[in-house]
């Protein structure tokens, strides 16, 4: 008894990419390409009478943007798995599509067998991200966490401003009516929080984070 093939529709406005992806899918016994399209309108017309199990969707089509097309696909066929297949590697583009509800995101630079793996993951109901996309999202997460977790106290901000104005430890201590030992401790804590090594880096980082 032959294995039931999973039906796939492919949308991309570059014929060479479309041909390459279809050849890859046709080389796999698990898949059957049920439609190939170069515009969003062609896909939507196809979905009026056809229901592939998964759509590989380029989000930079000539007639409609990716998020709008995804919303229209959802309205017509809420059960279809949609997997983005794109050159766009900006974190904002990836996050927008994932937050919108797509089941995965693959970059066109992804190796063939990894593409196949991602398609199978998506069909099994798991979020399917190519390795490069995972790296992009992890870097974005680290950046957000770094920005959010750095918190200077009011006193520390005051000391940073005085350092930026060119004051020495002794001058800052006198201005704030604190001991030089206390100011030195604050300086060490500030350097550690901002992950910098010297006053020049401290001032640059403080300016970048709008602390002064």
């Amino acid at each position: 008894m032959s294995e039931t093939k999973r039906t796939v529709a492919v949308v991309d406005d570059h014929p060479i990419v479309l041909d390459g992806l279809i050849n890859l899918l046709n080389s796999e016994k698990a898949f059957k390409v049920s439609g190939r399209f170069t515009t969003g309108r062609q896909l939507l017309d196809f979905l009026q009478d056809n229901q592939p199990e998964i759509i590989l969707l380029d989000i930079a089509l000539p007639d409609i943007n990716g998020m709008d097309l995804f919303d229209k696909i959802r309205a017509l066929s809420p059960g279809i798995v949609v997997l983005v297949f794109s050159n766009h590697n900006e974190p904002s583009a990836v996050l927008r599509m994932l937050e919108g509800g797509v089941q995965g995101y693959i970059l066109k630079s992804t190796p063939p067998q990894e593409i196949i793996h991602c398609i199978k993951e998506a069909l099994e109901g798991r979020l399917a991200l190519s390795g490069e996309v995972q790296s992009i999202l992890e870097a974005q997460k680290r950046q957000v966490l770094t920005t959010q977790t750095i918190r200077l106290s009011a006193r520390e901000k005051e000391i940073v401003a005085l350092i930026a104005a060119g004051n020495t430890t002794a001058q800052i201590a006198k201005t704030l009516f604190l001991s030089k030992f206390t100011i030195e401790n604050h300086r060490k804590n500030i350097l550690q929080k901002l992950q910098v090594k010297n006053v020049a880096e401290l001032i640059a980082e403080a300016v970048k984070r709008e602390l002064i």
Side-chain angles (χ1 to χ4, degrees):
M1 185 175 178
S2 62
E3 182 182 353
T4 303
K5 292 178 179 288
R6 314 298 294 269
T7 53
V8 186
V10 184
V11 192
D12 197 294
D13 64 327
H14 293 93
I16 191 168
V17 174
L18 199 57
D19 289 343
L21 191 51
I22 289 170
N23 287 338
L24 174 63
L25 292 167
N26 284 336
S27 71
E28 292 286 323
K29 294 180 180 179
F31 302 124
K32 176 185 177 182
V33 177
S34 61
R36 53 177 291 165
F37 312 98
T38 56
T39 68
R41 175 45 55 192
Q42 290 173 346
L43 172 67
L44 295 174
D45 289 343
F46 173 78
L47 294 179
Q48 298 289 340
D49 300 304
N50 300 274
Q51 294 291 301
E53 292 178 76
I54 187 168
I55 297 171
L56 297 186
L57 179 67
D58 183 7
I59 57 173
L61 298 172
D63 60 335
I64 185 171
N65 76 63
M67 198 69 245
D68 288 345
L69 179 54
F70 175 70
D71 290 340
K72 291 179 184 297
I73 294 169
R74 272 286 173 269
L76 277 172
S77 309
I80 291 179
V81 173
V82 178
L83 190 55
V84 173
F85 186 68
S86 176
N87 274 327
H88 289 280
N89 62 358
E90 303 87 354
S92 58
V94 176
L95 288 169
R96 184 175 180 226
M97 294 305 298
L98 292 176
E99 289 168 358
V102 299
Q103 278 82 4
Y105 203 109
I106 307 173
L107 293 181
K108 290 181 181 180
S109 56
T110 302
Q113 288 311 306
E114 189 179 347
I115 292 173
I116 295 299
H117 174 73
C118 286
I119 295 171
K120 290 178 178 178
E121 287 287 287
L123 284 167
E124 291 299 320
R126 292 184 281 271
L127 183 64
L129 304 175
S130 63
E132 192 174 349
V133 170
Q134 291 180 39
S135 297
I136 289 167
L137 294 179
E138 286 167 4
Q140 177 74 1
K141 183 178 179 181
R142 285 194 298 271
Q143 182 179 354
V144 170
L145 286 174
T146 298
T147 302
Q148 289 179 340
T149 54
I150 291 177
R151 295 285 185 271
L152 297 186
S153 67
R155 176 65 81 192
E156 287 170 337
K157 288 180 181 178
E158 195 173 12
I159 291 171
V160 168
L162 289 168
I163 291 171
N167 291 278
T168 65
T169 295
Q171 290 169 329
I172 295 171
K174 184 177 180 180
T175 299
L176 299 180
F177 302 100
L178 296 171
S179 70
K180 288 193 288 185
F181 177 77
T182 299
I183 299 302
E184 282 297 337
N185 275 339
H186 278 305
R187 285 175 69 119
K188 288 177 183 177
N189 289 335
I190 292 166
L191 291 172
Q192 189 173 40
K193 283 185 177 182
L194 296 180
Q195 298 180 10
V196 294
K197 297 177 182 177
N198 53 50
V199 170
E201 289 182 5
L202 184 155
I203 293 171
E205 190 68 16
V207 169
K208 185 173 78 172
R209 295 182 180 278
E210 298 182 349
L211 297 173
I212 55 176

